Amino acid sequence: MNESIFDKLDFGPLKPLLDNDDITDISYCNGGQIWIRSLTQGSIRIEIPDCTQEFMEKLAFQCSNVMGTTFNNAKPFLDAESSELRLNFVHQSIATNGIACVLRKTPAKIRLKKEKLIEDDYFTTDIHDILIKCVEGHCNIMVCGETGSGKTEFVKYLASHTKENEKVITIEDTLELHLDKIFPQRDIVAMKTNNVASYTDVLVTCMRQNPKWILLSEVRSAEAVSAVRNSISSGHNILSTIHADKASAIPYRLYSLMETDLDVDQFLNTIYRYIQLGVHIKAYYSKKYGKFHREVDEVTEFYVDENNVCQTHTIYRKLFDKEPILVKPSNHLLEYLANQNIDISNITEKLTDRPFEEMVEEAKDDHDDTTIPKTEVGIPVQPESSTSTVEPQVSIMPDNDVSITNNQDQSLMPALNEVGNNVQVNEPTIPIQNDSFTQAVINDNTNNLFDSSNNENNIENTIQKEETQQEPQPEEFKPAVINTISIDDVLNGS
């Protein structure tokens, strides 16, 4: 579908949103709700009075007409795309709460810039420089994260650092990279799969084009995994994205997509041997920055050691509310880069070679040391310097009187009765600090330690009190209130 077809569509009240570079996705659903995804504000709901159910149905019919297809009960799904825009409609016969529509913008530009990334705490300067050097050294890199985290944008940023004289071929099922338009002077071929040409067909043709780099927009099927495996094992370099919850899980995520009885060890050995780095990107609303925040959360190496065992080595991780941890890359990665005439010694010489997990545990211990220790009942534990150990003392007094301190175990009472008939309980002589906390604990022990009858009464009273208490009634369910803003506020950035 070319750009002139979309020019014939009347986007009406949605046009200002499409023209705003800060907005990447527009969603219409649930009989009139409009949600947008913004680079700075994340997902927010907005109000556009003129964007009604009738208008969205009209837009869907316009789209189906210019495409020469239908949109009704018999064909309830409609997809359309141009070089920078994708539309998807679901008919109300399937979406029972009203027609559903998603518009996704894929502009032919690279939004990420180094200075802005460092300023926004996307990652540190050192890990940025290491990743760029790895691209220059022809490392195979997979970028993972959840939907909307910015995986494709980051791959485009990495691809912009490939050498100008190296041929690049992009393979996509939906157009998102647009490297051929971003770098029109370079040797770049953009290929798109469809019902006629599958990933396998396109990849076979791609190999005959003799590329240095193969960029797969997203690996989400067994066919795409096979394309990745065949590409890297044939000596080509790849940059691609995949859905995974952490960088170290990428190889197993690739295997899970295969859905075959392929030997897991053999498959993982290929992945660990030929994919050098995995990068995980996280996106969330940050209270610290007061906006939607994206960051590189983890960078992990993959390699096969001298004993033919698959190994992972995490070199970078972002910890919550702490400085990121960055360690020296493994010798396998350093040797690989050295073979490509890439030297990163100016970066690694200031990095530690301590085990990564050891540094993570140390960071956690430092965080735990700043907290106040708690006992099992939640009472703060006093420092050791403020407590004293008092040994039980028994003193035989004149006239067979026996004096004991009230911190003595009651098991001594029968023996003491044999010594004398009069047993006198004295107040304890305990050297303590003059503070309210310690005094309260001592007073409580003094009153209750030897009075077993009082203890039993207290236990019975507590049980009776608990029995008489009614179970707490569940609070009445109240649906969450979602604040909406006007389209003018969005466009004005307020």
Side-chain angles (χ1 to χ4, degrees):
M1 182 176 179
N2 55 44
E3 203 68 38
S4 61
I5 295 180
F6 270 5
D7 291 340
K8 298 178 181 179
L9 299 182
D10 179 16
F11 290 100
L14 297 178
K15 190 66 167 60
L17 299 178
L18 295 175
D19 294 336
N20 190 326
D21 290 338
D22 190 56
I23 298 173
T24 60
D25 298 81
I26 306 169
S27 173
Y28 178 93
C29 62
N30 204 15
Q33 292 187 15
I34 300 175
W35 291 80
I36 64 171
R37 181 177 287 273
S38 165
L39 293 175
T40 57
Q41 302 179 67
S43 294
I44 56 176
R45 181 181 169 185
I46 65 172
E47 292 288 347
I48 305 180
D50 294 335
C51 193
T52 61
Q53 182 88 357
E54 292 74 18
F55 170 77
M56 295 306 297
E57 291 179 359
K58 178 182 176 182
L59 180 62
F61 289 134
Q62 288 184 53
C63 188
S64 64
N65 289 336
V66 297
M67 292 181 62
T69 185
T70 58
F71 181 64
N72 49 34
N73 292 359
K75 297 189 66 175
F77 306 113
L78 178 63
D79 286 292
E81 65 177 299
S82 70
S83 60
E84 298 189 11
L85 187 64
R86 288 207 324 257
L87 283 80
N88 175 267
F89 292 91
V90 181
H91 196 265
Q92 53 264 39
S93 61
I94 301 297
T96 56
N97 57 348
I99 188 173
C101 173
V102 171
L103 297 87
R104 183 165 197 184
K105 297 158 61 178
T106 56
K109 64 174 66 175
I110 296 179
R111 292 191 176 107
L112 306 182
K113 303 294 181 183
K114 177 181 177 180
E115 295 76 14
K116 184 65 174 175
L117 292 175
I118 302 302
E119 179 185 346
D120 291 344
D121 199 22
Y122 191 86
F123 46 22
T124 63
T125 302
D126 287 339
I127 194 61
H128 168 273
D129 294 343
I130 290 176
L131 289 173
I132 299 306
K133 287 294 184 180
C134 287
V135 173
E136 296 175 0
H138 304 112
C139 289
N140 298 315
I141 303 176
M142 299 277 304
V143 180
C144 67
E146 63 181 10
T147 301
S149 59
K151 302 183 298 296
T152 302
E153 285 296 326
F154 190 66
V155 165
K156 289 165 64 175
Y157 179 73
L158 294 179
S160 67
H161 291 82
T162 57
K163 298 177 182 178
E164 290 193 1
N165 60 348
E166 295 177 342
K167 184 169 186 175
V168 178
I169 293 182
T170 64
I171 302 177
E172 306 175 82
D173 53 2
T174 56
L175 299 175
E176 291 183 328
L177 294 173
H178 306 305
L179 292 180
D180 56 319
K181 294 181 175 59
I182 298 173
F183 304 105
Q185 76 283 1
R186 292 190 54 180
D187 187 3
I188 298 177
V189 179
M191 296 187 179
K192 183 177 181 298
T193 62
N194 52 32
N195 296 332
V196 177
S198 64
Y199 262 108
T200 303
D201 299 329
V202 172
L203 185 62
V204 171
T205 302
C206 174
M207 299 294 187
R208 295 170 182 168
Q209 293 281 324
N210 193 29
K212 182 62 179 177
W213 288 93
I214 298 176
L215 273 62
L216 299 172
S217 62
E218 185 169 351
V219 179
R220 50 181 166 224
S221 66
E223 197 174 27
V225 175
S226 297
V228 169
R229 190 183 180 195
N230 294 334
S231 300
I232 58 179
S233 60
S234 60
H236 298 85
N237 301 118
I238 68 160
L239 294 172
S240 187
T241 68
I242 191 172
H243 287 279
D245 59 350
K246 56 183 179 179
S248 58
I250 289 176
Y252 294 91
R253 175 60 178 158
L254 288 168
Y255 180 77
S256 68
L257 290 173
M258 289 297 292
E259 299 179 352
T260 64
D261 295 332
L262 184 68
D263 182 71
V264 59
D265 293 332
Q266 179 183 355
F267 177 85
L268 292 178
N269 189 282
T270 302
I271 300 301
Y272 276 81
R273 188 177 300 276
Y274 293 110
I275 293 181
Q276 280 74 41
L277 287 177
V279 180
H280 181 257
I281 298 180
K282 183 170 62 175
Y284 60 97
Y285 184 83
S286 171
K287 293 183 178 180
K288 176 181 178 181
Y289 300 105
K291 64 178 183 178
F292 195 69
H293 181 66
R294 292 180 173 90
E295 63 186 15
V296 171
D297 181 58
E298 184 180 71
V299 178
T300 299
E301 288 183 53
F302 306 110
Y303 63 92
V304 177
D305 64 15
E306 294 78 6
N307 299 319
N308 203 33
V309 177
C310 298
Q311 301 286 353
T312 61
H313 174 56
T314 301
I315 62 175
Y316 177 86
R317 183 179 296 166
K318 199 79 173 288
L319 299 180
F320 177 74
D321 202 25
K322 281 190 170 296
E323 290 297 319
I325 296 178
L326 177 62
V327 300
K328 188 176 181 179
S330 70
N331 291 331
H332 292 80
L333 182 60
L334 296 178
E335 292 174 3
Y336 181 91
L337 293 175
N339 291 334
Q340 301 291 329
N341 297 319
I342 299 297
D343 180 22
I344 59 172
S345 59
N346 62 325
I347 305 174
T348 59
E349 64 185 6
K350 54 186 177 182
L351 301 180
T352 178
D353 55 359
R354 291 175 55 192
F356 183 83
E357 294 302 328
E358 178 181 313
M359 296 192 63
V360 172
E361 292 300 323
E362 182 179 296
K364 291 180 179 179
D365 291 341
D366 293 341
H367 178 72
D368 293 340
D369 290 343
T370 62
T371 60
I372 299 177
K374 301 287 184 178
T375 64
E376 291 183 355
V377 295
I379 300 177
V381 177
Q382 293 285 34
E384 293 183 0
S385 59
S386 64
T387 60
S388 300
T389 302
V390 182
E391 298 294 337
Q393 299 177 2
V394 179
S395 58
I396 301 178
M397 301 176 66
D399 301 329
N400 292 334
D401 288 343
V402 178
S403 174
I404 63 174
T405 58
N406 64 0
N407 59 320
Q408 183 179 353
D409 195 293
Q410 295 188 43
S411 62
L412 296 177
M413 292 298 292
L416 295 174
N417 288 335
E418 294 180 1
V419 178
N421 297 325
N422 298 323
V423 177
Q424 180 180 357
V425 180
N426 298 332
E427 292 297 324
T429 56
I430 305 174
I432 61 173
Q433 281 191 347
N434 186 19
D435 60 78
S436 59
F437 172 85
T438 310
Q439 189 63 45
V441 174
I442 295 302
N443 290 342
D444 184 65
N445 291 338
T446 303
N447 294 333
N448 296 324
L449 186 59
F450 285 101
D451 196 348
S452 60
S453 61
N454 287 343
N455 288 339
E456 294 175 357
N457 292 335
N458 290 338
I459 294 174
E460 292 178 357
N461 293 337
T462 301
I463 295 175
Q464 292 176 0
K465 183 177 180 180
E466 291 178 352
E467 290 176 349
T468 57
Q469 289 179 346
Q470 296 182 353
E471 295 184 0
Q473 298 296 326
E475 296 182 1
E476 182 181 356
F477 172 76
K478 296 180 179 179
V481 177
I482 300 177
N483 296 326
T484 61
I485 62 178
S486 67
I487 184 174
D488 294 334
D489 293 336
V490 175
L491 300 178
N492 295 331
S494 57

